[in-house]
Amino acid sequence: MASSAETQKPFPQPAAGYTQSFWRTELDVLDSHRSTPELPKETDILIIGGGYAGASAAYHLFPEDQQGTTPNVVLLEARELCSGATGRNGGHLRPDLYSMTSTYTERYGIEAAVEVVRFEISHMKKIEEFVRKEKIDCDLTFTRSYDIYLDADHLAAAKGFYDFLVGQGLDFIDDIKYLSQEDAEGTAKVRGAKGGFSFSAGHLWPYKLIAGLIRIAVSRGLNLQTKTMVTEIGQARTPEGLWPVTTDRGIINARKIILATNAFTSALAPEYSKAIVPCKGLCTHIEAAPGAPYQQLPETYAIRRGPGAFIYQISRKDGSIIVGGAQYTYKDAHEQWHNNPDDGTLIKNVENYFDGYMQRTFFGWENSQATVKHKWTGVMGYSADSLPHIGDIPGKPGQFIAAGFNGHGMPVIFLCGKAIAQMARQSMPFEETGLPKLFETSAARLDPVYNDTLG
């Protein structure tokens, strides 16, 4: 992203400079890697985007038990490896067991909504299996997550839907525990809590997960090209059936293309300009002063001040905290975040919000002298209907998309990347991938019925 949205052509593109994320303080040897000095002229499959979706697709295009001819695969990343939203998030591996489920149930019915929940739960297990199998050192930790409400009416509405789910006899509901006000303040340690819920969740170091995926893919044949900005995809294929892709290092022709571009999708696929919007958020890394007393918080958190007022948090093994969100502080200042792809600047209205946050939010942190050590912005791909877009890009044979994760990519992207790899390499129909049917991109979804990006 350039320094301002107005100077970017096409819009939106990743900026040349960006705020420093805590997750990028220990860089991998492949961070600025180019497998070949020159950009290849041609490839079977081209992946655009070096975040979670692109890395997962790359990994799954090179399975350990490969059969048949291995395709030529090139991955292009505009900046360094995992320098976009994945390397700027909260590291929260947290399925949504009931919150957005109410919206999906109202719009699409309980069966479709529950399919998404079960997918996210299964995704957690697959991540654990993968990390253990491949021995990826990414601080993967499983724990409970506290979903805490500070507004009584908001809690009552959530409790009403939770009771509805209990009445449905769903298999995952036993993992959700309702917390009384006493539990929320006494056990979860949150000041002013009215109550809430807890359920199984996890957290990890996202950059190290993506670096691990890419290392394996490169070892099996992936051509990784960082610092390579894609500026255009041709509107028609060549006589040989290839899509011409223009970059700042020349043109590469691809038989198939995977757009793992999330917030930046509309720059290369303008038909998604209404469906996926770049939306900016802020995240921080907080530490207590050396030797100062503080309350251990092994669980992860979502703290809700009211509808749409959401703060997320994880505790790292060293006791430090990753916390972000608080969109309610800048939501009405649209120019600061909505359709804004610039992660090179902070968000004015929330820039200092997390100073003193732990002291004023949690019992046991009053004397911690906790301070913000890092603060950074990231640009998420918010989808108009709060669902990702996965599958064949309408009207463009051989082009696929895995984007629009709505700030909720960590519990879904690994298997979405696998699915899109199967679609690109094996021509697998979407229906056979195991993804929730609501995730499938379509021409109808490009002209959205909903506009959740602005709430």
Side-chain angles (χ1 to χ4, degrees), residues 210-239:
I210 273 56
L213 284 161
I214 291 293
R215 276 200 308 273
I216 296 168
V218 167
S219 73
R220 295 176 182 172
L222 173 69
N223 186 319
L224 173 64
Q225 297 287 328
T226 64
K227 299 182 179 179
T228 305
M229 176 82 74
V230 176
T231 56
E232 185 181 10
I233 298 174
Q235 292 302 301
R237 288 184 287 187
T238 68

Side-chain angles (χ1 to χ4, degrees), residues 97 106 164 170 185 379 451:
L97 302 189
E106 181 181 342
F164 165 75
L170 299 168
E185 286 199 324
V379 183
N451 185 13

Side-chain angles (χ1 to χ4, degrees), residues 341-405:
D342 183 7
D343 59 13
T345 58
L346 297 174
I347 302 173
K348 181 180 178 182
N349 286 19
V350 74
E351 182 174 350
N352 298 313
Y353 176 88
F354 292 104
D355 294 340
Y357 173 79
M358 299 302 295
Q359 292 92 318
R360 65 179 184 264
T361 304
F362 291 95
F363 294 111
W365 281 77
E366 298 86 350
N367 301 313
S368 65
Q369 303 174 53
T371 57
V372 175
K373 299 299 182 181
H374 295 82
K375 63 178 73 172
W376 62 92
T377 51
V379 183
M380 297 162 280
Y382 276 17
S383 59
D385 57 12
S386 299
L387 291 160
H389 284 261
I390 314 295
D392 298 272
I393 294 178
K396 294 182 176 179
Q399 292 193 33
F400 306 87
I401 187 171
F405 292 102

Side-chain angles (χ1 to χ4, degrees), residues 96-118 157-158 160-168 170 172-173 176 385-387 437-439 450 452:
D96 190 338
L97 302 189
Y98 73 94
S99 181
M100 278 302 297
T101 309
S102 61
T103 299
Y104 298 152
T105 298
E106 181 181 342
R107 293 176 179 177
Y108 312 111
I110 185 67
E111 183 178 341
V114 167
E115 185 182 30
V116 175
V117 176
R118 291 193 174 123
F161 184 70
Y162 164 76
D163 290 341
F164 165 75
L165 292 178
V166 170
Q168 298 296 305
L170 299 168
F172 58 82
I173 206 70
I176 308 175
D385 57 12
S386 299
L387 291 160
K437 58 179 175 289
L438 292 181
F439 285 14
Y450 307 102
D452 296 345

